[in-house]
Amino acid sequence: MDIAHHLAATLKQLRHDRGLSLTQAAAVTGVSKAMLGQIERNESSPTVATLWKIATGLNVPLSYFISAADTPPRPVYDPQQNGMSIAPLFPFDEQLRCDYFAITLAPGAQSDSTPHEAGVTEHVVVIHGVLELQTAGEWRTLHSGEGLRFAGDAPHAYRNAQPEPVLFHSLIHYPPPR
């Protein structure tokens, strides 16, 4: 199953398991009913930012949408974010409640992230290049080998102002289920 079909099937199954109509799912995710329907019918490829909204609203890890447990991880490209790709390095770990991703930002790319679920903590470590990271309204510059832990349940953003791509890893801890 390719990533688009996996995403569509996963969204539809999660919505069904929760007994949510498209209208109700739109209300809890902040993503329009039309967009959710297009994703479920595999007529639209959502941005990473949209997937985060859906995952947060449905209280599931982002990796549920971008990698099937029985397939090797593949990157998800986000053309509307101007050059961002994300690939799960390890599948979601239910016991540790974490996702682990490799993220690449092309030169000039910026990704603004809406707040994740309450209690989410992110750990970012730059592997190659220079990353600008905004947390608590402040931009910080991280170089290769540097990292930062921050509350993912507040607005934050990633930016690459350099002429070379930046690769960073993001470890995301989710709170215990409600």
Side-chain angles (χ1 to χ4, degrees):
M1 177 183 308
D2 71 14
I3 191 70
H5 285 97
H6 170 75
L7 195 157
T10 301
L11 175 56
K12 190 171 191 171
Q13 186 65 50
L14 285 168
R15 193 173 59 77
H16 178 267
D17 290 350
R18 287 162 170 73
L20 298 173
S21 67
L22 280 172
T23 301
Q24 292 167 321
V28 298
T29 63
V31 176
S32 74
K33 175 181 172 180
M35 175 56 77
L36 291 172
Q38 289 172 359
I39 295 167
E40 283 189 8
R41 293 187 303 273
N42 198 16
E43 296 173 355
S44 178
S45 295
T47 65
V48 171
T50 299
L51 283 180
W52 269 117
K53 284 182 169 183
I54 296 168
T56 298
L58 296 177
N59 196 30
V60 296
L62 176 67
S63 61
Y64 276 28
F65 292 107
I66 59 177
S67 68
D70 59 349
T71 61
R74 293 185 209 145
V76 170
Y77 295 96
D78 189 357
Q80 294 180 3
Q81 289 293 326
N82 187 27
M84 177 185 196
S85 67
I86 182 170
L89 293 173
F90 296 102
F92 176 73
D93 185 306
E94 188 66 47
Q95 183 178 357
L96 297 175
R97 308 257 337 126
C98 66
D99 269 331
Y100 189 43
F101 298 107
I103 301 171
T104 303
L105 285 178
Q110 179 169 326
S111 179
D112 299 317
S113 184
T114 56
H116 307 309
E117 169 188 2
V120 168
T121 302
E122 293 192 39
H123 300 75
V124 170
V125 177
V126 178
I127 304 304
H128 175 75
V130 178
L131 175 69
E132 294 178 13
L133 176 61
Q134 184 185 51
T135 59
E138 177 184 336
W139 284 99
R140 300 166 194 210
T141 302
L142 301 174
H143 296 86
S144 294
E146 295 180 331
L148 182 68
R149 180 177 57 198
F150 61 94
D153 57 5
H156 50 284
Y158 309 97
R159 178 169 67 195
N160 179 7
Q162 303 299 311
E164 299 293 325
V166 60
L167 169 65
F168 62 98
H169 288 181
S170 177
L171 177 66
I172 302 171
H173 284 272
Y174 299 92
R178 294 179 214 156

